[in-house]
């Protein structure tokens, strides 16, 4: 293993575990997407937390243009940073913001399926769908995102995952659907749409499931997948309270301590 990858991933893992932060990783190291991905995977391995699924990031084409890329990335969701609907999640420094997403619960038998996941076969692996809020941030001391590798390498991007009530999957219900995330404390509304997620959240789901199969990242239980933000990333302050609603899918609420 490259010495830089080993050192940086260990620092990231320790920072994530101890709720600390590290200095900004030099751009010369993380501008290479392959290197950034190796840092992420190695840091995840070192953390020894309990994964409950996977998160897709950079699923908005406007973000692709900004970061000069044409595909998203993914990382684990963890039990240790998952919170129940209508409860509280801790405030941390270096938070990027809150996002409203569609999450899917997936059967683990997916890993025994030897064919590529497509729109024609994906339905049999979907247990249900739910609205979800993600509170995202960085383990690095950053003021702004400067490249895709920065997001990929910093596996602490997903700080908190808050799923709503699971409902039966219906493809039509999440096609070109208006969504909204509200900061209840300052009464600001942030509208979005499911088409912001790679044109349709199912496109993001298919991409991610094929990626984790390709990388042999198998789980022995049914798992969550979040597909990317339908809304803008909403800034967070201490004591903020968020309410997200996706018509026909449900609502989800979280207060930031």
């Amino acid at each position: 293993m490259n010495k830089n990858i080993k050192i940086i991933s260990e620092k990231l893992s320790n920072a994530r575990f101890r709720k600390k932060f590290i200095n900004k990783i030099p751009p010369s190291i993380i501008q290479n997407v392959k290197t950034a991905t190796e840092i992420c995977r190695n840091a995840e391995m070192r953390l020894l937390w309990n994964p409950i699924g996977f998160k897709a990031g950079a699923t908005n084409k406007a973000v692709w243009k900004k970061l000069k890329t044409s595909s998203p990335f993914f990382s684990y969701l963890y039990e240790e940073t998952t919170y129940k609907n209508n409860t509280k999640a801790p405030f941390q420094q270096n938070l990027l913001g809150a996002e409203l997403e569609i999450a899917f619960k997936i059967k683990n038998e997916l890993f025994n399926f030897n064919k590529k996941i497509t729109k024609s076969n994906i339905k049999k692996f979907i247990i249900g769908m739910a609205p979800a809020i993600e509170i995202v941030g960085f383990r690095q001391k950053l003021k702004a995102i400067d490249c895709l590798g920065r997001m990929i390498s910093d596996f602490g991007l997903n700080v908190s995952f808050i799923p709503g009530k699971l409902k039966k999957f219906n493809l039509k219900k999440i096609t070109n659907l208006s969504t909204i995330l509200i900061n209840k404390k300052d009464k600001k509304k942030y509208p979005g749409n499911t088409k912001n997620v790679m044109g349709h959240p199912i496109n993001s789901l298919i991409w991610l499931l094929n990626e984790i199969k390709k990388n042999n990242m198998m789980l022995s239980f049914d798992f969550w997948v979040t597909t990317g933000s339908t809304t803008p990333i909403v800034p967070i302050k201490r004591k903020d309270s968020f309410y997200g609603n996706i018509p026909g899918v449900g609502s989800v609420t979280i207060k930031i301590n």
Side-chain angles (χ1 to χ4, degrees):
M1 183 184 299
N2 181 288
K3 185 179 179 180
N4 283 332
I5 293 174
K6 184 176 180 180
I7 292 171
I8 293 169
S9 59
E10 187 171 359
K11 286 182 178 179
L12 273 174
S13 179
N14 288 337
R16 191 72 179 89
F17 182 76
R18 300 177 185 278
K19 299 179 181 179
K20 303 291 184 179
F21 302 92
I22 68 171
N23 292 329
K24 186 175 177 180
I25 301 170
S28 59
I29 295 175
I30 47 82
Q31 280 178 346
N32 184 300
V33 170
K34 184 178 178 181
T35 300
T37 302
E38 285 187 60
I39 290 171
C40 175
R41 296 286 93 87
N42 192 55
E44 289 170 334
M45 181 184 68
R46 288 174 176 275
L47 185 60
L48 298 178
W49 276 4
N50 298 299
I52 60 165
F54 303 89
K55 166 193 169 53
T59 56
N60 188 307
K61 290 186 178 180
V63 174
W64 290 2
K65 186 176 181 180
K66 179 180 178 181
L67 297 176
K68 298 179 181 179
T69 185
S70 58
S71 65
F73 68 95
F74 72 95
S75 56
Y76 279 115
L77 293 169
Y78 289 105
E79 180 183 3
E80 287 81 356
T81 50
T82 297
Y83 299 87
K84 290 183 179 180
N85 185 16
N86 202 26
T87 57
K88 296 178 180 180
F91 177 84
Q92 296 186 48
Q93 300 297 324
N94 244 32
L95 289 179
L96 193 61
E99 304 176 338
L100 178 62
E101 312 204 1
I102 290 182
F104 296 90
K105 199 69 177 287
I106 305 297
K107 297 176 183 178
N108 80 306
E109 62 190 60
L110 168 98
F111 298 112
N112 297 322
F113 187 65
N114 295 323
K115 297 180 181 179
K116 189 174 182 179
I117 304 300
T118 65
K119 286 184 179 179
S120 62
N121 62 33
I122 193 172
K123 186 176 179 180
K124 64 183 178 182
F125 299 109
I126 300 175
I127 298 170
M129 60 184 183
I133 291 176
E134 285 187 352
I135 308 300
V136 296
F138 284 92
R139 290 296 111 192
Q140 299 171 67
K141 298 175 182 177
L142 300 174
K143 292 184 179 179
I145 300 167
D146 55 358
C147 67
L148 180 65
R150 180 79 59 203
M151 298 175 70
I152 293 172
S153 63
D154 196 328
F155 74 114
L157 178 71
N158 182 51
V159 174
S160 303
F161 167 55
I162 306 97
K165 185 178 180 180
L166 199 65
K167 289 193 175 181
K168 186 176 180 180
F169 171 65
N170 186 317
L171 184 65
K172 291 182 179 179
K173 280 189 176 181
I174 57 173
T175 301
N176 195 19
L177 181 66
S178 295
T179 68
I180 192 162
L181 183 59
I182 301 172
N183 187 326
K184 295 168 68 176
K185 184 181 178 183
D186 62 16
K187 297 180 173 58
K188 288 186 179 180
K189 300 180 179 180
Y190 301 86
N193 195 292
T194 55
K195 68 181 180 181
N196 293 335
V197 184
M198 294 178 68
H200 195 298
I202 206 72
N203 295 331
S204 174
L205 179 64
I206 291 169
W207 173 85
L208 195 150
L209 293 179
N210 281 314
E211 284 296 304
I212 61 176
K213 279 168 59 67
K214 184 171 70 176
N215 287 277
N216 294 314
M217 297 173 72
M218 296 184 290
L219 297 175
S220 60
F221 44 81
D222 300 336
F223 58 96
W224 284 103
V225 170
T226 61
T227 50
S229 186
T230 67
T231 61
I233 299 177
V234 178
I236 295 176
K237 303 180 297 298
R238 196 182 297 273
K239 303 298 182 183
D240 277 347
S241 181
F242 292 97
Y243 167 82
N245 182 260
I246 303 176
V249 179
S251 60
V252 58
T253 303
I254 194 71
K255 186 173 182 180
I256 310 301
N257 263 349

